[in-house]
Amino acid sequence: MSGYSTFARYYDELTANIDYRKRGEYFHAIIQKFKTTKENILLDLACGTGSISEVMADLGYDVVGVDNSDEMLNIALDKKFESGRNIQYLCQDMRRLDMFGTIDIAICALDSVNHLASLDDVRKAFENVAFFSEIGGLFIFDVNTLYKHRSVLANNTFTYETENVFCVWENTLVPETDEVKMNLEFFEREENGMWSRSSDGFSEKAYSEEDIERLLSETGFEMLAKYGDDTFDPPAPDSQRIVYAARCIRSGQQL
């Protein structure tokens, strides 16, 4: 989980194809299907620039957004001030989560779990969510699949161009670990018409369904459902994303 100094500035432009409203309403539908707790305190884990936090707040949740990137959170705060929504933001690593109280729902969207570098890191994140969850609280998150890492991201290069930036996104797959190392080269247009170049890099690791489900069980959750590619259908062999819905059944003190 590494720096996004340049990436943060252009994250919203480069992800303009994502319908955050639709994605938030999808999570909302899953929550309504399984929710049993009375309150609506929602943790948006690895919230990034706050786009989904804004949607969830608009849908009636009391949102706390957590991310470990100051640059991302600064943009999220700008959105909050513009919208006037009552969202709290905390700069924290999900492996060292420290909330002020308990939560009823936790979501973690857009393959943020894949940014955790090992199963031990995933375990720590799951344990933290369980620790601060109410009994019966929901944990809903998505992950990029092994198929996506091996066949879609793989060793491919992608380019993105907006009015202000040209981005070359180069992937390198490590087959032994299903990790994809990502290098982003940004060419930014300056006010004088010249271009400047900067780089960001990070990696994502894919985990098997068996490992994810085992860690959920071991950290105090029961799995309620898993869906393929943002649908309500079971994952297929070529699903690029799996969405998990789980319920907290053990309090933090029992872990």
Side-chain angles (χ1 to χ4, degrees):
M1 303 176 67
S2 56
Y4 300 98
S5 56
T6 305
F7 191 32
R9 292 202 300 274
Y10 294 106
Y11 182 83
D12 287 342
E13 285 187 59
L14 296 174
T15 60
N17 62 313
I18 298 174
D19 188 336
Y20 287 104
R21 182 75 194 187
K22 182 177 178 181
R23 189 130 180 79
E25 289 175 348
Y26 172 70
F27 280 110
H28 177 64
I30 298 174
I31 292 167
Q32 294 306 300
K33 181 179 178 66
F34 293 114
K35 188 175 184 296
T36 58
T37 55
K38 293 181 180 180
E39 303 299 325
N40 276 311
I41 300 174
L42 182 145
L43 168 65
D44 184 4
L45 198 60
C47 64
T49 61
S51 294
I52 290 182
S53 293
E54 289 281 334
V55 174
M56 301 313 289
D58 188 52
L59 290 170
Y61 297 95
D62 297 320
V63 177
V64 180
V66 170
D67 201 276
N68 72 338
S69 167
D70 287 325
E71 294 89 353
M72 292 283 195
L73 288 176
N74 285 336
I75 297 170
L77 285 170
D78 287 342
K79 292 178 183 178
K80 168 188 170 177
F81 294 142
E82 183 175 342
S83 70
R85 296 192 175 99
N86 186 24
I87 303 171
Q88 299 180 57
Y89 286 112
L90 302 173
C91 188
Q92 294 183 6
D93 188 311
M94 71 173 82
R95 296 166 296 184
R96 290 178 286 276
L97 191 66
D98 188 13
M99 304 293 293
F100 301 125
T102 56
I103 55 177
D104 300 279
I105 307 132
I107 63 173
C108 188
L110 298 174
D111 55 87
S112 295
V113 170
N114 295 102
H115 286 258
L116 296 167
S118 68
L119 283 171
D120 186 56
D121 284 344
V122 177
R123 178 189 296 277
K124 290 175 183 176
F126 286 7
E127 285 176 344
N128 287 331
V129 173
F131 186 87
F132 290 103
S133 290
E134 292 280 357
I135 295 295
L138 297 178
F139 182 26
I140 301 166
F141 62 94
D142 64 42
V143 296
N144 282 342
T145 61
L146 291 168
Y147 169 81
K148 182 173 183 178
H149 274 229
R150 295 168 180 172
S151 302
V152 180
L153 297 177
N155 292 300
N156 291 318
T157 297
F158 305 93
T159 59
Y160 303 89
E161 184 174 7
T162 71
E163 182 179 352
N164 298 311
V165 66
F166 181 79
C167 174
V168 180
W169 186 310
E170 301 171 303
N171 292 336
T172 303
L173 175 66
V174 183
E176 297 79 12
T177 61
D178 290 304
E179 177 186 13
V180 175
K181 297 180 179 181
M182 303 173 178
N183 181 65
L184 283 69
E185 297 290 335
F186 293 95
F187 299 86
E188 304 171 76
R189 188 191 301 275
E190 304 289 349
E191 291 184 1
N192 60 8
M194 302 294 287
W195 292 80
S196 64
R197 179 176 178 175
S198 57
S199 302
D200 267 344
F202 51 90
S203 64
E204 293 194 15
K205 181 174 171 57
Y207 298 99
S208 70
E209 295 175 52
E210 293 77 15
D211 281 338
I212 292 291
E213 292 168 32
R214 175 177 56 81
L215 289 180
L216 283 172
S217 176
E218 291 175 357
T219 55
F221 293 97
E222 65 168 338
M223 199 179 76
L224 302 173
K226 60 180 178 180
Y227 306 116
D229 291 327
D230 298 346
T231 69
F232 289 98
D233 299 324
D238 60 350
S239 291
Q240 295 188 34
R241 174 180 287 134
I242 296 178
V243 179
Y244 291 87
R247 189 187 312 281
C248 181
I249 58 174
R250 295 203 306 272
S251 69
Q253 289 76 13
Q254 293 174 303
L255 290 175

PDB file of all heavy atoms in Angstrom, residues 164-189:
ATOM      1  N   ASN A 164      -5.846  17.090 -19.161  1.00  0.00           N
ATOM      2  CA  ASN A 164      -4.692  17.588 -18.416  1.00  0.00           C
ATOM      3  C   ASN A 164      -3.576  16.577 -18.219  1.00  0.00           C
ATOM      4  O   ASN A 164      -2.480  16.958 -17.786  1.00  0.00           O
ATOM      5  CB  ASN A 164      -5.151  18.084 -17.039  1.00  0.00           C
ATOM      6  CG  ASN A 164      -6.126  19.230 -17.134  1.00  0.00           C
ATOM      7  OD1 ASN A 164      -5.874  20.195 -17.851  1.00  0.00           O
ATOM      8  ND2 ASN A 164      -7.243  19.120 -16.425  1.00  0.00           N
ATOM      9  N   VAL A 165      -3.799  15.317 -18.528  1.00  0.00           N
ATOM     10  CA  VAL A 165      -2.781  14.319 -18.228  1.00  0.00           C
ATOM     11  C   VAL A 165      -2.859  13.160 -19.216  1.00  0.00           C
ATOM     12  O   VAL A 165      -3.939  12.802 -19.700  1.00  0.00           O
ATOM     13  CB  VAL A 165      -2.937  13.792 -16.773  1.00  0.00           C
ATOM     14  CG1 VAL A 165      -4.235  13.012 -16.607  1.00  0.00           C
ATOM     15  CG2 VAL A 165      -1.733  12.977 -16.333  1.00  0.00           C
ATOM     16  N   PHE A 166      -1.688  12.621 -19.514  1.00  0.00           N
ATOM     17  CA  PHE A 166      -1.580  11.375 -20.280  1.00  0.00           C
ATOM     18  C   PHE A 166      -0.896  10.378 -19.357  1.00  0.00           C
ATOM     19  O   PHE A 166       0.166  10.660 -18.789  1.00  0.00           O
ATOM     20  CB  PHE A 166      -0.757  11.578 -21.549  1.00  0.00           C
ATOM     21  CG  PHE A 166      -0.618  10.347 -22.385  1.00  0.00           C
ATOM     22  CD1 PHE A 166      -1.637   9.932 -23.222  1.00  0.00           C
ATOM     23  CD2 PHE A 166       0.548   9.586 -22.343  1.00  0.00           C
ATOM     24  CE1 PHE A 166      -1.505   8.796 -24.004  1.00  0.00           C
ATOM     25  CE2 PHE A 166       0.692   8.452 -23.123  1.00  0.00           C
ATOM     26  CZ  PHE A 166      -0.340   8.058 -23.957  1.00  0.00           C
ATOM     27  N   CYS A 167      -1.523   9.205 -19.180  1.00  0.00           N
ATOM     28  CA  CYS A 167      -1.018   8.210 -18.224  1.00  0.00           C
ATOM     29  C   CYS A 167      -0.731   6.901 -18.938  1.00  0.00           C
ATOM     30  O   CYS A 167      -1.584   6.388 -19.679  1.00  0.00           O
ATOM     31  CB  CYS A 167      -2.040   7.982 -17.106  1.00  0.00           C
ATOM     32  SG  CYS A 167      -1.598   6.648 -15.954  1.00  0.00           S
ATOM     33  N   VAL A 168       0.469   6.374 -18.723  1.00  0.00           N
ATOM     34  CA  VAL A 168       0.839   5.039 -19.209  1.00  0.00           C
ATOM     35  C   VAL A 168       0.902   4.120 -17.993  1.00  0.00           C
ATOM     36  O   VAL A 168       1.689   4.347 -17.072  1.00  0.00           O
ATOM     37  CB  VAL A 168       2.189   5.061 -19.931  1.00  0.00           C
ATOM     38  CG1 VAL A 168       2.552   3.650 -20.416  1.00  0.00           C
ATOM     39  CG2 VAL A 168       2.156   6.031 -21.101  1.00  0.00           C
ATOM     40  N   TRP A 169       0.042   3.097 -17.988  1.00  0.00           N
ATOM     41  CA  TRP A 169      -0.102   2.178 -16.854  1.00  0.00           C
ATOM     42  C   TRP A 169       0.491   0.832 -17.277  1.00  0.00           C
ATOM     43  O   TRP A 169      -0.068   0.133 -18.110  1.00  0.00           O
ATOM     44  CB  TRP A 169      -1.575   2.048 -16.513  1.00  0.00           C
ATOM     45  CG  TRP A 169      -1.921   1.251 -15.298  1.00  0.00           C
ATOM     46  CD1 TRP A 169      -1.498  -0.003 -14.965  1.00  0.00           C
ATOM     47  CD2 TRP A 169      -2.806   1.652 -14.255  1.00  0.00           C
ATOM     48  NE1 TRP A 169      -2.050  -0.412 -13.790  1.00  0.00           N
ATOM     49  CE2 TRP A 169      -2.855   0.588 -13.321  1.00  0.00           C
ATOM     50  CE3 TRP A 169      -3.574   2.796 -14.022  1.00  0.00           C
ATOM     51  CZ2 TRP A 169      -3.655   0.647 -12.172  1.00  0.00           C
ATOM     52  CZ3 TRP A 169      -4.360   2.845 -12.881  1.00  0.00           C
ATOM     53  CH2 TRP A 169      -4.390   1.792 -11.974  1.00  0.00           C
ATOM     54  N   GLU A 170       1.618   0.478 -16.691  1.00  0.00           N
ATOM     55  CA  GLU A 170       2.319  -0.756 -17.063  1.00  0.00           C
ATOM     56  C   GLU A 170       2.214  -1.782 -15.940  1.00  0.00           C
ATOM     57  O   GLU A 170       2.551  -1.490 -14.792  1.00  0.00           O
ATOM     58  CB  GLU A 170       3.802  -0.451 -17.341  1.00  0.00           C
ATOM     59  CG  GLU A 170       4.031   0.548 -18.450  1.00  0.00           C
ATOM     60  CD  GLU A 170       5.485   0.972 -18.541  1.00  0.00           C
ATOM     61  OE1 GLU A 170       6.023   1.480 -17.524  1.00  0.00           O
ATOM     62  OE2 GLU A 170       6.080   0.767 -19.613  1.00  0.00           O
ATOM     63  N   ASN A 171       1.759  -2.969 -16.289  1.00  0.00           N
ATOM     64  CA  ASN A 171       1.621  -4.051 -15.316  1.00  0.00           C
ATOM     65  C   ASN A 171       2.706  -5.106 -15.512  1.00  0.00           C
ATOM     66  O   ASN A 171       3.092  -5.414 -16.647  1.00  0.00           O
ATOM     67  CB  ASN A 171       0.258  -4.737 -15.459  1.00  0.00           C
ATOM     68  CG  ASN A 171      -0.886  -3.844 -15.040  1.00  0.00           C
ATOM     69  OD1 ASN A 171      -0.709  -2.917 -14.258  1.00  0.00           O
ATOM     70  ND2 ASN A 171      -2.071  -4.125 -15.561  1.00  0.00           N
ATOM     71  N   THR A 172       3.134  -5.689 -14.405  1.00  0.00           N
ATOM     72  CA  THR A 172       4.041  -6.833 -14.439  1.00  0.00           C
ATOM     73  C   THR A 172       3.502  -7.894 -13.492  1.00  0.00           C
ATOM     74  O   THR A 172       3.394  -7.657 -12.283  1.00  0.00           O
ATOM     75  CB  THR A 172       5.470  -6.441 -14.006  1.00  0.00           C
ATOM     76  OG1 THR A 172       5.950  -5.391 -14.850  1.00  0.00           O
ATOM     77  CG2 THR A 172       6.403  -7.642 -14.101  1.00  0.00           C
ATOM     78  N   LEU A 173       3.136  -9.034 -14.035  1.00  0.00           N
ATOM     79  CA  LEU A 173       2.588 -10.129 -13.236  1.00  0.00           C
ATOM     80  C   LEU A 173       3.709 -10.982 -12.669  1.00  0.00           C
ATOM     81  O   LEU A 173       4.639 -11.367 -13.384  1.00  0.00           O
ATOM     82  CB  LEU A 173       1.670 -10.995 -14.100  1.00  0.00           C
ATOM     83  CG  LEU A 173       1.107 -12.273 -13.448  1.00  0.00           C
ATOM     84  CD1 LEU A 173       0.164 -11.928 -12.303  1.00  0.00           C
ATOM     85  CD2 LEU A 173       0.409 -13.141 -14.497  1.00  0.00           C
ATOM     86  N   VAL A 174       3.614 -11.282 -11.379  1.00  0.00           N
ATOM     87  CA  VAL A 174       4.514 -12.238 -10.732  1.00  0.00           C
ATOM     88  C   VAL A 174       3.728 -13.542 -10.591  1.00  0.00           C
ATOM     89  O   VAL A 174       2.911 -13.683  -9.670  1.00  0.00           O
ATOM     90  CB  VAL A 174       4.984 -11.735  -9.355  1.00  0.00           C
ATOM     91  CG1 VAL A 174       5.968 -12.724  -8.740  1.00  0.00           C
ATOM     92  CG2 VAL A 174       5.594 -10.348  -9.470  1.00  0.00           C
ATOM     93  N   PRO A 175       3.916 -14.509 -11.492  1.00  0.00           N
ATOM     94  CA  PRO A 175       3.055 -15.698 -11.514  1.00  0.00           C
ATOM     95  C   PRO A 175       3.075 -16.505 -10.221  1.00  0.00           C
ATOM     96  O   PRO A 175       2.063 -17.111  -9.845  1.00  0.00           O
ATOM     97  CB  PRO A 175       3.618 -16.522 -12.685  1.00  0.00           C
ATOM     98  CG  PRO A 175       4.362 -15.540 -13.532  1.00  0.00           C
ATOM     99  CD  PRO A 175       4.907 -14.524 -12.581  1.00  0.00           C
ATOM    100  N   GLU A 176       4.223 -16.534  -9.544  1.00  0.00           N
ATOM    101  CA  GLU A 176       4.340 -17.365  -8.347  1.00  0.00           C
ATOM    102  C   GLU A 176       3.438 -16.877  -7.218  1.00  0.00           C
ATOM    103  O   GLU A 176       3.018 -17.663  -6.359  1.00  0.00           O
ATOM    104  CB  GLU A 176       5.794 -17.378  -7.854  1.00  0.00           C
ATOM    105  CG  GLU A 176       6.791 -17.995  -8.813  1.00  0.00           C
ATOM    106  CD  GLU A 176       7.188 -17.058  -9.941  1.00  0.00           C
ATOM    107  OE1 GLU A 176       6.864 -15.850  -9.866  1.00  0.00           O
ATOM    108  OE2 GLU A 176       7.841 -17.532 -10.910  1.00  0.00           O
ATOM    109  N   THR A 177       3.122 -15.582  -7.198  1.00  0.00           N
ATOM    110  CA  THR A 177       2.343 -15.020  -6.095  1.00  0.00           C
ATOM    111  C   THR A 177       1.026 -14.386  -6.539  1.00  0.00           C
ATOM    112  O   THR A 177       0.248 -13.927  -5.695  1.00  0.00           O
ATOM    113  CB  THR A 177       3.163 -13.951  -5.366  1.00  0.00           C
ATOM    114  OG1 THR A 177       3.481 -12.894  -6.294  1.00  0.00           O
ATOM    115  CG2 THR A 177       4.460 -14.543  -4.799  1.00  0.00           C
ATOM    116  N   ASP A 178       0.786 -14.336  -7.845  1.00  0.00           N
ATOM    117  CA  ASP A 178      -0.396 -13.659  -8.400  1.00  0.00           C
ATOM    118  C   ASP A 178      -0.439 -12.184  -8.000  1.00  0.00           C
ATOM    119  O   ASP A 178      -1.500 -11.589  -7.844  1.00  0.00           O
ATOM    120  CB  ASP A 178      -1.685 -14.371  -7.990  1.00  0.00           C
ATOM    121  CG  ASP A 178      -1.836 -15.716  -8.685  1.00  0.00           C
ATOM    122  OD1 ASP A 178      -1.812 -15.745  -9.923  1.00  0.00           O
ATOM    123  OD2 ASP A 178      -1.945 -16.743  -7.980  1.00  0.00           O
ATOM    124  N   GLU A 179       0.723 -11.600  -7.857  1.00  0.00           N
ATOM    125  CA  GLU A 179       0.852 -10.170  -7.606  1.00  0.00           C
ATOM    126  C   GLU A 179       1.072  -9.453  -8.934  1.00  0.00           C
ATOM    127  O   GLU A 179       1.799  -9.941  -9.799  1.00  0.00           O
ATOM    128  CB  GLU A 179       2.029  -9.897  -6.670  1.00  0.00           C
ATOM    129  CG  GLU A 179       2.282  -8.428  -6.400  1.00  0.00           C
ATOM    130  CD  GLU A 179       3.547  -8.198  -5.590  1.00  0.00           C
ATOM    131  OE1 GLU A 179       4.346  -9.150  -5.455  1.00  0.00           O
ATOM    132  OE2 GLU A 179       3.737  -7.071  -5.112  1.00  0.00           O
ATOM    133  N   VAL A 180       0.412  -8.316  -9.091  1.00  0.00           N
ATOM    134  CA  VAL A 180       0.639  -7.474 -10.260  1.00  0.00           C
ATOM    135  C   VAL A 180       1.277  -6.175  -9.788  1.00  0.00           C
ATOM    136  O   VAL A 180       0.696  -5.438  -8.990  1.00  0.00           O
ATOM    137  CB  VAL A 180      -0.667  -7.169 -11.013  1.00  0.00           C
ATOM    138  CG1 VAL A 180      -0.404  -6.180 -12.159  1.00  0.00           C
ATOM    139  CG2 VAL A 180      -1.276  -8.451 -11.573  1.00  0.00           C
ATOM    140  N   LYS A 181       2.497  -5.940 -10.243  1.00  0.00           N
ATOM    141  CA  LYS A 181       3.181  -4.692  -9.932  1.00  0.00           C
ATOM    142  C   LYS A 181       2.802  -3.660 -10.978  1.00  0.00           C
ATOM    143  O   LYS A 181       2.874  -3.928 -12.180  1.00  0.00           O
ATOM    144  CB  LYS A 181       4.690  -4.913  -9.897  1.00  0.00           C
ATOM    145  CG  LYS A 181       5.117  -5.886  -8.804  1.00  0.00           C
ATOM    146  CD  LYS A 181       6.630  -6.086  -8.782  1.00  0.00           C
ATOM    147  CE  LYS A 181       7.032  -7.044  -7.670  1.00  0.00           C
ATOM    148  NZ  LYS A 181       8.507  -7.245  -7.609  1.00  0.00           N
ATOM    149  N   MET A 182       2.395  -2.496 -10.516  1.00  0.00           N
ATOM    150  CA  MET A 182       1.854  -1.476 -11.407  1.00  0.00           C
ATOM    151  C   MET A 182       2.716  -0.225 -11.358  1.00  0.00           C
ATOM    152  O   MET A 182       2.963   0.327 -10.284  1.00  0.00           O
ATOM    153  CB  MET A 182       0.414  -1.145 -10.996  1.00  0.00           C
ATOM    154  CG  MET A 182      -0.505  -2.359 -10.993  1.00  0.00           C
ATOM    155  SD  MET A 182      -2.136  -1.982 -10.328  1.00  0.00           S
ATOM    156  CE  MET A 182      -2.927  -3.600 -10.531  1.00  0.00           C
ATOM    157  N   ASN A 183       3.169   0.207 -12.515  1.00  0.00           N
ATOM    158  CA  ASN A 183       3.938   1.437 -12.624  1.00  0.00           C
ATOM    159  C   ASN A 183       3.147   2.425 -13.480  1.00  0.00           C
ATOM    160  O   ASN A 183       2.726   2.103 -14.593  1.00  0.00           O
ATOM    161  CB  ASN A 183       5.296   1.182 -13.263  1.00  0.00           C
ATOM    162  CG  ASN A 183       6.110   2.454 -13.358  1.00  0.00           C
ATOM    163  OD1 ASN A 183       6.495   3.033 -12.350  1.00  0.00           O
ATOM    164  ND2 ASN A 183       6.369   2.907 -14.591  1.00  0.00           N
ATOM    165  N   LEU A 184       2.937   3.617 -12.949  1.00  0.00           N
ATOM    166  CA  LEU A 184       2.173   4.644 -13.639  1.00  0.00           C
ATOM    167  C   LEU A 184       3.077   5.816 -13.979  1.00  0.00           C
ATOM    168  O   LEU A 184       3.696   6.412 -13.086  1.00  0.00           O
ATOM    169  CB  LEU A 184       1.009   5.134 -12.768  1.00  0.00           C
ATOM    170  CG  LEU A 184      -0.229   4.245 -12.647  1.00  0.00           C
ATOM    171  CD1 LEU A 184       0.083   2.981 -11.857  1.00  0.00           C
ATOM    172  CD2 LEU A 184      -1.360   4.995 -11.959  1.00  0.00           C
ATOM    173  N   GLU A 185       3.159   6.116 -15.258  1.00  0.00           N
ATOM    174  CA  GLU A 185       3.920   7.272 -15.723  1.00  0.00           C
ATOM    175  C   GLU A 185       2.925   8.355 -16.141  1.00  0.00           C
ATOM    176  O   GLU A 185       2.066   8.132 -17.002  1.00  0.00           O
ATOM    177  CB  GLU A 185       4.811   6.899 -16.899  1.00  0.00           C
ATOM    178  CG  GLU A 185       5.884   5.868 -16.576  1.00  0.00           C
ATOM    179  CD  GLU A 185       6.971   6.423 -15.667  1.00  0.00           C
ATOM    180  OE1 GLU A 185       7.166   7.657 -15.686  1.00  0.00           O
ATOM    181  OE2 GLU A 185       7.611   5.626 -14.958  1.00  0.00           O
ATOM    182  N   PHE A 186       3.049   9.523 -15.506  1.00  0.00           N
ATOM    183  CA  PHE A 186       2.134  10.628 -15.774  1.00  0.00           C
ATOM    184  C   PHE A 186       2.865  11.725 -16.548  1.00  0.00           C
ATOM    185  O   PHE A 186       3.974  12.127 -16.182  1.00  0.00           O
ATOM    186  CB  PHE A 186       1.610  11.215 -14.461  1.00  0.00           C
ATOM    187  CG  PHE A 186       0.731  10.288 -13.683  1.00  0.00           C
ATOM    188  CD1 PHE A 186       1.262   9.499 -12.673  1.00  0.00           C
ATOM    189  CD2 PHE A 186      -0.627  10.205 -13.943  1.00  0.00           C
ATOM    190  CE1 PHE A 186       0.461   8.641 -11.947  1.00  0.00           C
ATOM    191  CE2 PHE A 186      -1.438   9.354 -13.213  1.00  0.00           C
ATOM    192  CZ  PHE A 186      -0.897   8.565 -12.214  1.00  0.00           C
ATOM    193  N   PHE A 187       2.219  12.207 -17.600  1.00  0.00           N
ATOM    194  CA  PHE A 187       2.715  13.358 -18.352  1.00  0.00           C
ATOM    195  C   PHE A 187       1.662  14.452 -18.195  1.00  0.00           C
ATOM    196  O   PHE A 187       0.555  14.343 -18.739  1.00  0.00           O
ATOM    197  CB  PHE A 187       2.928  12.987 -19.819  1.00  0.00           C
ATOM    198  CG  PHE A 187       3.940  11.885 -20.008  1.00  0.00           C
ATOM    199  CD1 PHE A 187       3.553  10.543 -19.939  1.00  0.00           C
ATOM    200  CD2 PHE A 187       5.279  12.176 -20.216  1.00  0.00           C
ATOM    201  CE1 PHE A 187       4.480   9.521 -20.090  1.00  0.00           C
ATOM    202  CE2 PHE A 187       6.212  11.159 -20.369  1.00  0.00           C
ATOM    203  CZ  PHE A 187       5.808   9.827 -20.307  1.00  0.00           C
ATOM    204  N   GLU A 188       2.019  15.469 -17.404  1.00  0.00           N
ATOM    205  CA  GLU A 188       1.065  16.491 -17.012  1.00  0.00           C
ATOM    206  C   GLU A 188       1.296  17.785 -17.778  1.00  0.00           C
ATOM    207  O   GLU A 188       2.425  18.247 -17.910  1.00  0.00           O
ATOM    208  CB  GLU A 188       1.181  16.771 -15.506  1.00  0.00           C
ATOM    209  CG  GLU A 188       1.011  15.527 -14.638  1.00  0.00           C
ATOM    210  CD  GLU A 188       1.353  15.808 -13.192  1.00  0.00           C
ATOM    211  OE1 GLU A 188       0.532  16.440 -12.507  1.00  0.00           O
ATOM    212  OE2 GLU A 188       2.454  15.401 -12.746  1.00  0.00           O
ATOM    213  N   ARG A 189       0.197  18.355 -18.272  1.00  0.00           N
ATOM    214  CA  ARG A 189       0.291  19.617 -19.017  1.00  0.00           C
ATOM    215  C   ARG A 189       0.417  20.783 -18.037  1.00  0.00           C
ATOM    216  O   ARG A 189      -0.404  20.958 -17.133  1.00  0.00           O
ATOM    217  CB  ARG A 189      -0.946  19.813 -19.895  1.00  0.00           C
ATOM    218  CG  ARG A 189      -0.838  21.003 -20.862  1.00  0.00           C
ATOM    219  CD  ARG A 189      -2.191  21.304 -21.491  1.00  0.00           C
ATOM    220  NE  ARG A 189      -2.697  20.164 -22.223  1.00  0.00           N
ATOM    221  CZ  ARG A 189      -2.386  19.875 -23.482  1.00  0.00           C
ATOM    222  NH1 ARG A 189      -1.544  20.665 -24.138  1.00  0.00           N
ATOM    223  NH2 ARG A 189      -2.921  18.836 -24.083  1.00  0.00           N
TER     224      ARG A 189
END
